[in-house]
Amino acid sequence: MTFHDYFAKAQSIKGLDKALWPVLESITSASVKVSHDLQKAALLDGVLGAQGGQNIQGEEQQKLDVIADIAFINAFENCGSVAGIGSEENEAHLAFDTEKTKSASYVVLFDPLDGSSNIDVNVSVGTIFSIYKRTSKYGQAATLEDMLQAGGKQTVAGYVLYGTSTMLVLSWGDGVQGFTLDPSSGTFILSHSNMRMPESSRLYSMNEGNIKECEPGVAAYIAFCQSKENDYNGPYSGRYIGSLVADFHRSLIKGGIYIYPNVPAAPKGRLRLLYECNPLAFIAEQAGGLATTGRKRILEIEPEALHERAPLFIGSKNMVEKAMSFLN
Ligand code: AFP
């Protein structure tokens, strides 16, 4: 079944707002373009490598970060259902300025190309997105407050993983569905219905270069994963790609935990609450997993700033609960 047919069915049975379709179609059309660009990146002039600047996070921008950002912004602006966006690559939110967009119902928060430092080495990257109903008055420009909503209020959350195949994984609060791009038709086809995250596994995922820098409870949990005195009576396997979407997708399918704690270089965590933690937390919970800061449920955080960061403990329910039990 195509993504469009799946949406149409859900719309007629569950009463989903049909104004959501243009937003979702923008995501699929921009991601097909980005997928093509990624596949041909090394063959095209001016596409691989660093842009030569930094984004608002102070991180080196890749050329493809900028190309993907523009592709998604254009698609959202032209679809008619999006009043404004917040992007990891742009300092301020953007309110679209036509009569139609000012009356649109939705805002989108997104990371156009997560894990982009992996592009030059041909490793999986992704686009992560959250769709919210605006809270401001229809007919006026979208506001910062529209963007700063708690993750529990997401209408749709999802990601596109550009891996060995390109996959769209999303949820509108009724479980998690996965669609694989058929490159010959440019269409996403339902390939993984009702995805459930295993409640535990022996896979853990963390940048262990930080282990001596993080709070003792995190190091103690990782020591537990590596010991013979754990629930599997032997060391877990460490897996860390360095593209959150790809690490998360593995946990969704095989089970596991991904941890990015506070470290001195990133005292509030490295990952962005609005573009990374919230959408993946929504998917995790919809699939039976958990997502916390180590102490608090991610979806309950009231954001105060567009580029706010949060520590993230996400993945299989039993593993996240166990990791939290090591923290004070
Ligand atoms: P980039 O998009 O700048 O490559 O950042 C990727 C990321 O936000 C996330 O996808 C990774 O899990 C994490 O950063 C990797 O961070 P470390 O390099 O500190 O492990």
Side-chain angles (χ1 to χ4, degrees):
M1 186 187 300
T2 64
F3 178 45
H4 176 264
D5 289 351
Y6 186 86
F7 176 84
K9 195 171 154 204
Q11 196 209 326
S12 73
I13 298 172
K14 309 249 156 74
L16 277 181
D17 178 8
K18 72 172 190 289
L20 267 176
W21 178 248
V23 192
L24 296 171
E25 198 177 28
S26 307
I27 290 167
T28 57
S29 64
S31 63
V32 169
K33 181 194 169 338
V34 169
S35 175
H36 285 151
D37 287 348
L38 286 166
Q39 278 164 7
K40 291 190 297 185
L43 305 176
L44 300 174
D45 274 345
V47 167
L48 272 190
Q51 172 80 4
Q54 291 187 335
N55 65 12
I56 174 68
Q57 333 284 339
E59 295 156 351
E60 189 178 63
Q61 251 180 340
Q62 305 295 309
K63 287 177 185 148
L64 270 160
D65 281 324
V66 178
I67 292 170
D69 194 38
I70 293 169
F72 279 96
I73 291 175
N74 286 343
F76 291 135
E77 183 163 20
N78 292 324
C79 84
S81 281
V82 177
I85 59 101
S87 159
E88 188 192 299
E89 296 303 326
N90 299 301
E91 184 165 358
H93 76 281
L94 183 61
F96 298 138
D97 200 23
T98 65
E99 284 314 307
K100 190 167 184 198
T101 53
K102 281 184 185 165
S103 301
S105 310
Y106 294 102
V107 295
V108 186
L109 282 303
F110 67 103
D111 178 354
L113 216 47
D114 177 65
S116 56
S117 55
N118 273 327
I119 297 167
D120 287 357
V121 291
N122 207 353
V123 168
S124 301
V125 292
T127 298
I128 318 178
F129 60 90
S130 286
I131 305 173
Y132 293 84
K133 268 246 149 112
R134 70 187 294 177
T135 53
S136 59
K137 257 194 174 167
Y138 288 42
Q140 295 181 358
T143 62
L144 179 60
E145 286 65 41
D146 290 327
M147 314 287 154
L148 301 183
Q149 300 188 54
K153 297 203 173 128
Q154 290 170 97
T155 303
V156 184
Y159 60 85
V160 180
L161 173 64
Y162 310 102
T164 46
S165 60
T166 295
M167 267 194 86
L168 168 68
V169 174
L170 86 172
S171 175
W172 41 70
D174 186 25
V176 178
Q177 315 302 328
F179 301 83
T180 299
L181 177 65
D182 173 0
S184 58
S185 64
T187 310
F188 284 90
I189 310 286
L190 182 64
S191 52
H192 297 61
S193 55
N194 199 20
M195 299 175 86
R196 301 296 297 167
M197 189 180 272
E199 288 195 347
S200 66
S201 88
R202 56 195 302 173
L203 296 174
Y204 74 95
S205 190
M206 179 186 162
N207 179 346
E208 284 185 76
N210 289 328
I211 201 77
K212 292 189 177 145
E213 303 277 308
C214 44
E215 63 178 296
V218 174
Y221 174 68
I222 297 298
F224 166 82
C225 294
Q226 295 170 341
S227 75
K228 287 189 179 157
E229 284 74 48
N230 59 35
D231 43 350
Y232 286 95
N233 301 316
Y236 295 4
S237 291
R239 294 279 185 277
Y240 191 72
I241 297 169
S243 284
L244 175 62
V245 183
D247 280 311
F248 176 81
H249 190 69
R250 184 192 55 251
S251 297
L252 178 58
I253 291 180
K254 294 190 165 179
I257 184 169
Y258 174 99
I259 299 176
Y260 211 114
N262 297 333
V263 285
K268 292 183 176 165
R270 174 184 162 120
L271 301 173
R272 289 56 140 199
L273 176 62
L274 296 180
Y275 316 114
E276 296 177 308
C277 305
N278 272 342
L280 297 185
F282 193 86
I283 299 278
E285 288 198 5
Q286 284 292 318
L290 276 185
T292 76
T293 63
R295 296 180 168 84
K296 182 176 178 164
R297 186 172 165 238
I298 292 285
L299 296 181
E300 287 174 6
I301 300 174
E302 295 290 341
E304 290 173 1
L306 211 47
H307 298 288
E308 185 170 330
R309 297 176 191 251
L312 183 63
F313 292 61
I314 192 167
S316 293
K317 181 175 173 294
N318 295 345
M319 299 176 84
V320 174
E321 281 172 351
K322 185 73 185 174
M324 288 173 73
S325 75
F326 280 82
L327 305 182
N328 298 321

